[in-house]
Amino acid sequence: MIRGSWKALAWIALAELCALSLWFSASVIAPELIQVWNLSSNLEAWLSASVPIGFVTGALVSSYFGIADRFNPRKVFAFSAFLGALMNASLILADQAYLGILLRILTGISLAGVYPIAVKILSQWFPKKRGFAIGILIAALTLGSSLPHFIIMFFSSLNWQLVIICSSILALLAAIIVIWILEDAPVTINKSPFSFKLIKKVISNKPVMLANYGYFGHMWELYAMWTWIPIFLTASFTSYSPGISPWFIALSSFITIGIAGGIGCVVGGLVSDKIGRANLTIISMLISAICCILIGFTFGQYIWLTLVLSIIWGMSVISDSAQFSAAVSEAAEAEYVGTALTFQMCIGFLITIFSINLIPVIQRFVGWEWVFTGLAIGPILGIVSMVQYKRYEIGHVKGTIGSIK
């Protein structure tokens, strides 16, 4: 264990938490933006898809040019967080939908220099046994993504610009933490750059692709759930109790996505070390798939019932996230592990664009009671893939034990 690694983890996680508040900063104020920009139904879809599009674009460009290897990753993180804060704050000045959507795409590009780079910095501080550390980092990402719901609890009665200002300030704080407080790790890891030429090797590696298929199913569900569960809770709670406080709805969304999700990440990281990555992902996706199917039946029913099930869903939907990347890093050859991880992340976030925008289309036909059942397809297919991956995981463990003997 590198001296000071846990202190570094605390600062990295805090910076990640603050910077990721940019992801959903516009989503929580979407009703206001729709009115301000006079958004059509087609452009509404682009508003929700803009950040993932930017993120995928930024991740590919950053990985292809090896930015994290050519430059100090702390400086890359700090610059990206600063740029994201600037793009996010500029939304206040945007008076047209196209300009606002462009700014959200640029915000997504900047976040590609935050989340993947944070993983890079973390890997330098934890060259070995980083499972729990990654769990903490994903928990910070989860909590940070839900922060706009926490912010809106206090500013729901004021103008929407304050939500944007607060999230931008948090991103600036992330940049300050990383550039002036966090230190460089005393060791660096070997470079593992992205290469389009190596994608063929990634695709031909069956264990890697099985882990990828599991991740793709996980991502089909995750961001669509994070995007639409607050809207579902609003519709369900107001249906049961029309006079319910908006503050309580915002708090429920924050607990479901942030608090429950953060706990799920930490618990998932600890449990996976005991029962194996494949088993943890299978259990998590099974629980989340059941929640996808059941949550609609609570619509307009007792608030406590809807909230309890949504919290269980919030924990299970993210508890396995870190394990898919860990599985790929273990199954891929050192030559192309960087390409494999970039491929996994980019395809996964591309999938979220479709699932996020599919929910409102389905909702118009089947209502809130059945809309989330379509998300269950992702974890169900993911379970099938990880059951097959499990055989390779067992073989890898046996091979490792045999080599030690």
Side-chain angles (χ1 to χ4, degrees):
M1 183 68 67
I2 298 175
R3 185 177 180 181
S5 57
W6 293 110
K7 179 182 177 182
L9 173 61
W11 288 120
I12 296 168
L14 180 59
E16 183 83 351
L17 185 154
C18 293
L20 263 293
S21 65
L22 298 177
W23 193 287
F24 287 115
S25 61
S27 298
V28 300
I29 55 170
E32 288 83 356
L33 293 180
I34 289 171
Q35 292 183 355
V36 171
W37 294 339
N38 193 23
L39 280 176
S40 64
S41 57
N42 291 332
L43 288 179
E44 282 183 45
W46 280 101
L47 178 62
S48 61
S50 54
V51 173
I53 289 172
F55 183 88
V56 171
T57 303
L60 278 173
V61 172
S62 174
S63 299
Y64 183 74
F65 289 103
I67 290 176
D69 292 323
R70 295 184 180 183
F71 303 97
N72 184 301
R74 285 195 307 109
K75 294 180 180 179
V76 174
F77 185 113
F79 176 77
S80 300
F82 173 78
L83 181 63
L86 185 62
M87 295 300 102
N88 189 64
S90 298
L91 282 176
I92 296 175
L93 304 176
D95 56 358
Q96 296 182 2
Y98 291 103
L99 177 57
I101 290 171
L102 175 61
L103 288 171
R104 292 303 288 164
I105 292 174
L106 292 174
T107 301
I109 291 174
S110 71
L111 288 174
V114 172
Y115 171 43
I117 300 300
V119 175
K120 166 84 174 184
I121 297 172
L122 189 70
S123 65
Q124 293 177 336
W125 281 101
F126 292 83
K128 296 180 180 180
K129 297 181 179 181
R130 64 180 73 124
F132 179 68
I134 292 178
I136 295 293
L137 184 66
I138 300 298
L141 178 151
T142 304
L143 192 58
S145 298
S146 69
L147 271 183
H149 296 288
F150 181 79
I151 295 170
I152 209 169
M153 285 193 296
F154 300 98
F155 297 135
S156 59
S157 60
L158 302 177
N159 57 46
W160 59 269
Q161 289 94 335
L162 282 172
V163 177
I164 296 298
I165 292 172
C166 287
S167 55
S168 296
I169 290 173
L170 286 170
L172 286 175
L173 178 61
I176 292 171
I177 290 171
V178 170
I179 200 67
W180 283 331
I181 300 178
L182 179 66
E183 299 176 354
D184 285 320
V187 297
T188 58
I189 60 173
N190 294 328
K191 294 181 180 180
S192 183
F194 172 84
S195 170
F196 285 108
K197 297 178 182 178
L198 294 175
I199 288 180
K200 185 177 180 180
K201 291 187 177 182
V202 174
I203 296 174
S204 62
N205 186 321
K206 191 171 183 179
V208 166
M209 289 310 298
L210 286 173
N212 278 339
Y213 296 144
Y215 179 75
F216 299 158
H218 159 78
M219 291 297 283
W220 170 264
E221 176 193 18
L222 176 62
Y223 275 82
M225 184 271 191
W226 278 1
T227 300
W228 290 104
I229 193 65
I231 301 170
F232 170 83
L233 293 178
T234 301
S236 179
F237 290 177
T238 53
S239 175
Y240 180 81
S241 177
I244 192 168
S245 169
W247 186 90
F248 178 79
I249 297 175
L251 176 62
S252 299
S253 299
F254 176 68
I255 292 173
T256 297
I257 299 173
I259 303 299
I263 293 172
C265 289
V266 175
V267 172
L270 292 172
V271 173
S272 67
D273 291 337
K274 297 182 179 179
I275 67 173
R277 303 193 196 286
N279 285 332
L280 185 278
T281 59
I282 291 168
I283 293 171
S284 295
M285 286 190 287
L286 176 61
I287 296 173
S288 65
I290 292 172
C291 290
C292 287
I293 297 168
L294 294 182
I295 191 72
F297 292 104
T298 72
F299 181 82
Q301 303 300 318
Y302 293 112
I303 290 176
W304 68 265
L305 180 61
T306 306
L307 185 56
V308 168
L309 190 58
S310 66
I311 289 173
I312 295 172
W313 193 10
M315 291 181 65
S316 59
V317 75
I318 189 65
S319 60
D320 54 349
S321 190
Q323 307 311 316
F324 295 107
S325 297
V328 165
S329 66
E330 292 172 349
E333 299 293 334
E335 173 192 11
Y336 57 85
V337 67
T339 300
L341 290 171
T342 303
F343 174 81
Q344 181 193 65
M345 184 177 296
C346 288
I347 299 298
F349 277 93
L350 278 174
I351 288 171
T352 68
I353 298 171
F354 296 100
S355 60
I356 288 173
N357 289 292
L358 187 62
I359 291 294
V361 175
I362 297 176
Q363 194 273 334
R364 294 190 194 106
F365 291 98
V366 301
W368 285 113
E369 290 81 356
W370 295 97
V371 69
F372 289 125
T373 55
L375 294 183
I377 296 172
I380 289 172
L381 293 177
I383 289 171
V384 173
S385 296
M386 295 310 291
V387 167
Q388 296 180 63
Y389 173 83
K390 186 177 177 180
R391 296 200 297 267
Y392 291 95
E393 184 180 52
I394 294 173
H396 173 75
V397 172
K398 288 182 177 179
T400 301
I401 295 174
S403 65
I404 292 174
K405 290 181 178 180

